[in-house]
Amino acid sequence: MALNKSMHPRNRYKDKPPDFAYLASKYPDFQQHVHTSLTGRPVVNFKEPEAVRALTCTLLKEDFGLTIQIPLERLIPTVPLRLNYIHWVEDLIDGQKQPRRGIDIGTGASCIYPLLGATMNGWFFLATEVDDICFDYAKKNVEQNNLSDLVKVVKVPQKTLLMDALKEETEIVYDFCMCNPPFFANQLEAKGVNSRNSRRPPPSSVNTGGVTEIMAEGGELEFVKRIIHDSLKLKKRLRWYSCMLGKKCSLAPLKEELRKQGVPKVTHTEFYQGRTMRWALAWSFYDDVTVPSPPSKKRKLEKAQKPLSFSIPEAGLKELQAKASAAGCTGCSSVDSVTALLEKTLAELRVLHKRVPCRKQEQSLFLTAVENTWIHGRQKRREHKRQLRELPRAPQCAGSSSQPSLATAGTPTPSQSQPTLTADSNSQDDNTENQNMSAHESGKEEKKNASGELGQISENVAGGDVDMESSSCAETGQETELKETPTEAPCRQPQSPGGVELFLFKCLLNVMMEESDVVIEMHWVEGQNKDLMNQLRTYLRNTLLKSVAKP
Ligand code: SAH
């Protein structure tokens, strides 16, 4: 995965990593740490603290006009990762440019968060530090950048986090606090133990983990728990409390702690920089704060919004055009021909469809499916048999067992067709699952979707074709088994797609050229279950491709 792509969208390094060659030519101090790789690229050795420091100081100078000094024996921050956190705080407090007031717990020698926040956004900062050396450097770094009006560095005792820093100010409400807690990772890494590796499970007992590892474990968790406990006393004195985490496994127990304490607003995020990944947690006692979605939810949403698609390669288009012209679509473009053939198949399937306005050289159809006429007859019979077995008391409305419940129907809606139990009545293969659920099972289906099945579908689509197994239609996994002719009579036959009250799903189908291929995209609009749209996609694709194979 290109991790830079996962940086915060506003991170200036997201699509534009630092240009080492340019920086080396401009900054002699940096130049001495830039080497040429075997492939001739300028590289920096991130295992050398001197090189990391030189890069950090150079980037802060070049991109933010900041001049800082940092001792090698203290944590050397990396700028792109720190920026990710700043941008996330902007998201939390919903304001990049307004004057805001924040606290940086453990600001470090660099004082990087306050320097960046003050320079980029004009934020005021109270920066705390326990370590004498860090405190001295931090103060100097603020002064030499003329930021003393915005950033106040205070020395605090080790045992305290927020309480002491705030005890003199009883009135001011801070917009946020941020913290990069001490993970003790550097000591561990020096011993070859990567305690920040998220794939490494936490030690299950004192005996199985090394002493230092347990210390690191306790270090991060305990530190943040202490911030949580301070926050429970300070509550609305800060609008957002936040903390960076070095280990993914810290996230769950801390969230659990917040849940136990009844903290009303909690969210988290992930930060990427190169191969480094970090997590951050934020919580608030305010009801009116904007809570940014965690990345997993965002990803699911993005996936759910992705269309299902398939393409007809250039090689097959001539034959499709010939087929379309035989059906009356003469002088048509490839897009028009494919659209005409799709319309023919949709008509056969009794899927309601009408053309809607779209971009030039594209065609767009609005589809409303009121019944499932595209799945394999054998599957239907098998499913019907299964339901007869499992739901002996289910009302035996004609065809009800082979129809998924309709989207707007609050109660089971029988259709009027009755599949017959013939050819496959002895089949042992009964794994069609929820494909042809009866209305009785629709509740189960909703749960299934809620637990992320939509994401699964889109993931498959992203990787190429969707197989029928993934869409709970696991009879054989062979899409070619889908029949070309509709198998059932409609339960209702409404006249126009727009005016349908009961439907399985609605979608928008776009036909367009992509290079020399024709691409068909299906965008979900609404309905009961995206699996159904996936099945229809497979049916339409197979029908078109079959006609290419057998003109
Ligand atoms: N914020 C900096 C430094 C993070 S390292 C950065 O992101 O680069 C953590 C810092 O927290 C260290 O400098 C350590 O001295 C400081 N620290 C540890 N305990 C603290 C406490 N109780 N209060 C304030 N700072 C503390």
Side-chain angles (χ1 to χ4, degrees), residues 75 82 106-108 113 128-131 156 158 160-161 180 223:
L75 186 68
R82 298 302 188 278
T107 200
Y113 289 124
T128 75
E129 190 43 71
V130 284
D131 179 87
V156 290
Q158 176 70 57
T160 175
L161 287 165
N180 188 9
F223 202 89

Side-chain angles (χ1 to χ4, degrees), residues 36-76:
T36 308
S37 75
L38 290 175
T39 56
R41 281 186 312 121
V43 287
V44 170
N45 182 357
F46 287 94
K47 290 194 179 128
E48 280 174 21
E50 291 90 345
V52 178
R53 178 172 68 176
L55 177 60
T56 293
C57 293
T58 304
L59 288 178
L60 288 175
K61 183 87 211 148
E62 173 69 15
D63 294 329
F64 300 93
L66 291 164
T67 308
I68 68 158
Q69 267 91 44
I70 352 172
L72 281 177
E73 63 273 17
R74 291 294 183 273
L75 186 68
I76 299 158

